[in-house]
Amino acid sequence: MLEWRCDPDSGYDDPRLSRDLGRRIVLVCDEGYQSSLAAATLQDLGFAHATDLVGGFQAWAAAGLPILREGAQTGHGGVGRATPAIG
């Protein structure tokens, strides 16, 4: 899926992603493994500034960096989702 959406030659690309190979793209997954592979794939497609968050979300959270928790203030109950709070 990543290759289809980011490769301008795929025929299924998303121009918001594929038209600027010079843009900085930072990928995040839970522990950093999948995002590292995805960043390497994007680099192979020509995105010179594609990278990932080393250690993923778990490392971000362990470092005490800000986290946004979906549903935390809405009273939905349950755990909800959490994402790094990147400004």
Side-chain angles (χ1 to χ4, degrees), residues 26-32 35 52-70 80-87:
V26 179
L27 301 163
V28 180
C29 69
D30 190 49
E31 293 182 339
S35 59
D52 71 309
L53 179 63
V54 175
F57 176 78
Q58 294 301 319
W60 179 281
L65 296 167
I67 298 170
L68 297 175
R69 296 191 186 279
E70 183 180 309
R81 294 186 332 195
T83 58
I86 301 172

Side-chain angles (χ1 to χ4, degrees), residues 2-3 27-28 32-45 50-52:
L2 179 68
E3 295 88 347
L27 301 163
V28 180
Y33 301 109
Q34 292 175 340
S35 59
S36 291
L37 294 173
T41 297
L42 289 179
Q43 290 171 4
D44 289 345
L45 291 173
T51 189
D52 71 309

